[in-house]
Amino acid sequence: MISKAVVEALQQFVPDENILLQEPMAGHTTFRIGGPADCFVQLESGEQLKKVQKYLHLVGVPFFILGNGSNLLVKDEGYGGVILQIGKKMSRISVQGCRIVAQAGAALSQAAHAALEHGLTGLEFASGIPGTVGGGVVMNAGAYGGEMSQVVTEVTVVNSEGETLKLDNSTMEFGYRTSIIKHSSFTVTEVAFCLERGDKESIKTRMEELAARRKEKQPLEYPSAGSTFKRPEGRFAGQLIMEAGFRGFQIGGARVSDKHCGFIINTGEATAEDVRQIIAEIQRQVKDRFHVALETEVVFLGWEDI
């Protein structure tokens, strides 16, 4: 449990109404699964983040940075620390010429539509990705041949000492579903994109085409965390899972999608443990049958042994 002293300290940095105790995480993940966080803090600025993050590091209280929760599985028992949400309260977007600057809490779809409005091309791939700009940069999110590394020019971060740093594209060490931030204590506060001039109708048509492809091939009607596993080199996770006989495989309320075997869906009453068990069983059998170790895109929060 978070002590009263810690809560009182946080109240010095963040408005009281932005600090929630025992907040159910099911309402903050696209899986719609997860027990309560001891303390949930909605941040409104980079300055608040600096002060809160520096304080929590100083007193040794565990914390987790949350965006839209689109690749997160929170344990049913919850999280015994502080969740720092960079979301709608930090989602401003500005456009200057071919440059878009977005706060980390802005939705990727929001940034893509801002680009469309200004006749800028390059972010169409991101229009259907359910995460935030900050989360997208951390994991170098991508789809349909596009990824963040192709359009990001500068990333503003805060380190554990509460200092603001600016990282250019080459410093980000982008890779497949990874970046330098994924393996550091940096927290993203703002991202700058450099795009190109394009035809609005062509941009809109491309976004509509990608939306139709997603609707056709992905189980968007169910809560999920998107692709459960990273793509193994030279293979496709969904194909391996299907060939291993997991299409429609179900534990409790969690199920391997019949539409796309790379997705584990919440049919309505799934628990985090249901999902975890399916993931573990898929990993075991795919490793045994095809000698391929599937690595999750899903982040586990609350488990100490994963």
Side-chain angles (χ1 to χ4, degrees):
M1 293 291 291
I2 298 298
S3 70
K4 182 179 179 182
V6 169
V7 174
E8 290 176 347
L10 292 174
Q11 290 170 336
Q12 302 301 309
F13 311 130
V14 181
D16 288 3
E17 62 268 23
N18 291 2
I19 301 174
L20 308 173
L21 302 180
Q22 293 299 303
E23 175 69 5
M25 289 302 293
H28 300 285
T29 72
T30 57
F31 252 137
R32 297 294 177 254
I33 294 173
D38 278 1
C39 184
F40 188 93
V41 179
Q42 297 169 312
L43 297 170
E44 297 180 347
S45 68
E47 287 303 310
Q48 287 182 3
L49 171 67
K50 286 182 183 181
K51 294 172 183 177
V52 170
Q53 188 167 283
K54 185 175 182 179
Y55 168 74
L56 294 175
H57 271 294
L58 182 66
V59 296
V61 173
F63 65 91
F64 181 84
I65 304 296
L66 176 75
N68 193 44
S70 58
N71 67 335
L72 186 65
L73 182 67
V74 182
K75 195 173 184 179
D76 298 310
E77 289 77 13
Y79 176 64
V82 179
I83 297 289
L84 301 179
Q85 186 188 43
I86 299 178
K88 292 180 179 179
K89 295 179 183 293
M90 286 182 65
S91 61
R92 289 192 303 275
I93 294 176
S94 63
V95 181
Q96 297 178 331
C98 292
R99 177 181 166 91
I100 290 182
V101 178
Q103 286 188 302
L108 283 168
S109 59
Q110 184 183 354
H113 279 87
L116 167 62
E117 289 172 10
H118 289 80
L120 299 175
T121 183
L123 269 178
E124 292 90 332
F125 75 90
S127 59
I129 297 176
T132 59
V133 167
V137 166
V138 172
M139 67 173 293
N140 189 21
Y144 301 110
E147 61 182 22
M148 299 292 277
S149 64
Q150 299 168 354
V151 289
V152 169
T153 57
E154 187 176 77
V155 180
T156 304
V157 300
V158 172
N159 66 15
S160 59
E161 301 301 315
E163 301 169 323
T164 298
L165 306 172
K166 292 187 181 293
L167 310 177
D168 63 20
N169 187 290
S170 62
T171 310
M172 284 294 295
E173 298 181 11
F174 283 121
Y176 175 65
R177 299 298 176 263
T178 191
S179 71
I180 191 173
I181 298 172
K182 196 168 184 179
H183 309 289
S184 72
S185 60
F186 296 153
T187 301
V188 180
T189 59
E190 193 174 80
V191 177
F193 301 93
C194 184
L195 306 177
E196 296 180 359
R197 290 291 178 191
D199 176 70
K200 279 190 178 183
E201 284 304 313
S202 297
I203 296 168
K204 182 180 178 182
T205 298
R206 176 60 175 164
M207 290 168 64
E208 290 172 346
E209 288 173 352
L210 295 182
R213 289 171 66 179
R214 285 189 177 91
K215 186 175 182 180
E216 177 188 358
K217 296 183 178 181
Q218 298 179 9
L220 303 181
E221 65 272 28
Y222 291 99
S224 78
S227 296
T228 306
F229 300 97
K230 296 179 181 179
R231 185 179 67 242
E233 188 173 353
R235 308 293 292 271
F236 291 98
Q239 183 72 22
L240 291 170
I241 294 166
M242 183 179 69
E243 291 177 4
F246 279 101
R247 183 187 294 276
F249 179 76
Q250 187 160 341
I251 294 179
R255 180 182 178 91
V256 176
S257 170
D258 296 88
K259 184 182 284 189
H260 190 315
C261 290
F263 286 62
I264 295 175
I265 59 174
N266 175 3
T267 63
E269 300 296 332
T271 65
E273 184 59 21
D274 292 340
V275 176
R276 189 199 68 80
Q277 287 186 25
I278 287 182
I279 289 173
E281 187 62 19
I282 287 173
Q283 288 175 317
R284 185 183 69 80
Q285 291 202 33
V286 168
K287 182 69 178 292
D288 288 347
R289 293 189 58 177
F290 305 112
H291 309 291
V292 175
L294 290 179
E295 183 181 352
T296 61
E297 282 194 23
V298 172
V299 175
F300 296 85
L301 185 61
W303 283 272
E304 295 180 357
D305 58 338
I306 296 179

